[in-house]
Amino acid sequence: MTETIINLETVNPIEFFGVNNGKLDILKKKFPLLKILSRGTQIKLSGSPEQVDQAKEKIDLLIAYLERNGQLSENYLEQILGGDDQETVDAFVERNPSEVLVFGPNGKTVRARTQNQKRMVGAIDKNDIVFAIGPAGTGKTYTAVALAVRALKNKLVKKIILTRPAVEAGESLGFLPGDLKEKIDPYLRPLYDALDDMIPADKLGYYMSTRVIEIAPLAYMRGRTLDNAFIILDEAQNTTDLQLKMFLTRIGANAKAIITGDMTQVDLPKNQRSGLEKGIRILKNIDGISHIELDEEDVVRHRLVKAIIRAYDKDHKIDQEQPNSYHRR
């Protein structure tokens, strides 16, 4: 007979044991030959050495998971307890925690998945302003939001500000239904979606209501000084020269900014030029400003997105080489 005591001081015991000890009951059913007792922030295992060791290994996994995520559903509890193969263990134990940017709700881990996304991480650690330019699906916005959430959680900044130009891409705002917020929110939806993956709903609601996290159209930035903030300007290819200058000059003390854009998807009127291209060119050699180029190899969406990007790039090159051709007829 072997006995061992495991301390739960690093996690919430109620979250570990469950309401009315519901999760503890699941643990007991997994190890019916063990005597498992709970007292305060401790759990005591009594039984054969082999059974005690197996149970302790699973409990250590549960504790590590809770330390990382703060919550544990009964579904995940049963998956951790039921899977003995290496694949299952790897799914719940973070082997390279230094590479994870954010631990999101329900055990989701957010990390830089490609080489250029990792370059974004390194660039923002060493610079205050980063331009991340690349086609759709390369994860530039998602990675930028993850970096902002990481900075907030690590208390490196006091707020996150996410902004986009509300450009009328084929639709007139005036004719869209709803009030101003309802008209503008569709333009900002990708930013909300990214945050949903990284912050529990109740905490995100609190951050939004207290303006710790602010999502607003670019026009709302005029006249402000943004101190102690992580600021993201998304879809910057749809800014004019003056708008981009206005945004960059909002950045205050202890602030970092990431500007993302895709020069192949400019939605400005034909008589307006994107300010992003000029901004990249004239700010290229300033110390503290970094430029990251993402490409089709960074695409993390559906496999066909890479093929689509290649096809459009090929078509664009033909246009440049043969401006008066009729190859698309």
Side-chain angles (χ1 to χ4, degrees):
M1 179 75 70
T2 298
E3 290 187 354
T4 190
I5 294 176
I6 302 172
N7 287 311
L8 306 173
E9 294 174 349
T10 59
V11 300
N12 182 351
I14 296 175
E15 189 64 38
F16 183 90
F17 294 124
V19 178
N20 297 323
N21 286 332
K23 295 176 186 175
L24 180 62
D25 291 339
I26 295 173
L27 180 64
K28 289 179 177 180
K29 289 178 182 178
K30 170 65 179 177
F31 298 99
L33 301 179
L34 280 182
K35 185 177 182 181
I36 302 176
L37 299 174
S38 64
R39 180 177 295 176
T41 59
Q42 292 184 333
I43 186 168
K44 182 179 178 181
L45 308 176
S46 304
S48 69
E50 183 181 354
Q51 283 274 304
V52 168
D53 287 344
Q54 288 178 3
K56 185 178 184 305
E57 182 179 349
K58 290 296 186 182
I59 291 171
D60 287 342
L61 282 178
L62 296 173
I63 292 172
Y65 184 91
L66 269 171
E67 286 175 340
R68 199 169 71 227
N69 301 292
Q71 55 188 1
L72 173 67
S73 68
E74 289 190 4
N75 180 43
Y76 277 137
L77 170 68
E78 290 176 345
Q79 287 187 51
I80 295 172
L81 293 177
D84 295 320
D85 57 287
Q86 193 61 43
E87 184 179 348
T88 300
V89 173
D90 285 343
F92 290 97
V93 178
E94 189 49 62
R95 298 302 183 186
N96 298 298
S98 62
E99 293 183 2
V100 176
L101 300 177
V102 178
F103 293 108
N106 299 319
K108 183 180 181 66
T109 57
V110 179
R111 67 176 72 229
R113 295 170 58 182
T114 70
Q115 196 59 42
N116 284 325
Q117 289 175 12
K118 291 176 182 177
R119 288 181 62 213
M120 281 181 64
V121 177
I124 200 63
D125 287 341
K126 296 176 183 176
N127 300 274
D128 289 336
I129 297 175
V130 172
F131 285 86
I133 311 302
T138 51
K140 53 191 183 295
T141 300
Y142 198 79
T143 303
V145 173
L147 289 167
V149 173
R150 182 187 69 166
L152 182 65
K153 286 188 173 182
N154 291 341
K155 299 183 178 179
L156 300 176
V157 297
K158 294 181 180 178
K159 67 178 89 169
I160 294 173
I161 297 173
L162 309 175
T163 185
R164 271 184 162 197
V167 175
E168 300 177 10
E171 292 182 284
S172 174
L173 283 175
F175 288 97
L176 292 175
D179 58 20
L180 180 61
K181 182 179 185 301
E182 291 170 331
K183 292 173 189 288
I184 289 172
D185 269 359
Y187 292 101
L188 307 175
R189 188 71 252 169
L191 301 175
Y192 287 105
D193 291 342
L195 287 171
D196 286 341
D197 275 359
M198 301 175 198
I199 302 176
D202 55 343
K203 184 171 284 188
L204 179 57
Y206 171 77
Y207 282 155
M208 299 283 284
S209 65
T210 56
R211 300 179 73 83
V212 171
I213 295 178
E214 182 180 348
I215 304 178
L218 179 60
Y220 286 28
M221 299 298 108
R222 190 174 298 278
R224 300 179 63 181
T225 300
L226 306 174
D227 296 330
N228 302 303
F230 199 115
I231 315 143
I232 296 173
L233 171 58
D234 194 35
E235 299 286 353
Q237 76 276 4
N238 289 327
T239 60
T240 64
D241 187 22
L242 290 177
Q243 285 175 327
L244 184 59
K245 179 183 176 183
M246 178 274 290
F247 170 80
L248 292 170
T249 54
R250 299 307 93 205
I251 298 169
N254 191 38
K256 286 184 178 285
I258 295 182
I259 298 94
T260 70
D262 175 4
M263 292 308 303
T264 68
Q265 296 195 52
V266 177
D267 296 318
L268 291 168
K270 290 183 179 180
N271 62 340
Q272 286 189 327
R273 294 185 61 183
S274 170
L276 181 59
E277 188 174 3
K278 178 180 177 180
I280 293 170
R281 176 170 50 82
I282 68 175
L283 302 175
K284 200 161 194 176
N285 298 315
I286 296 179
D287 188 37
I289 300 179
S290 179
H291 301 260
I292 305 296
E293 293 281 344
L294 297 98
D295 56 34
E296 64 188 45
E297 296 304 316
D298 298 294
V299 170
V300 292
R301 291 181 185 168
H302 194 285
R303 62 179 179 80
L304 289 177
V305 175
K306 284 187 182 182
I308 291 167
I309 290 171
R310 289 193 192 105
Y312 274 94
D313 284 346
K314 182 178 179 181
D315 185 77
H316 179 65
K317 288 178 182 177
I318 294 174
D319 272 348
Q320 289 183 319
E321 293 169 0
Q322 304 172 29
N324 297 318
S325 72
Y326 294 89
H327 71 277
R328 284 183 295 236
R329 284 189 175 180

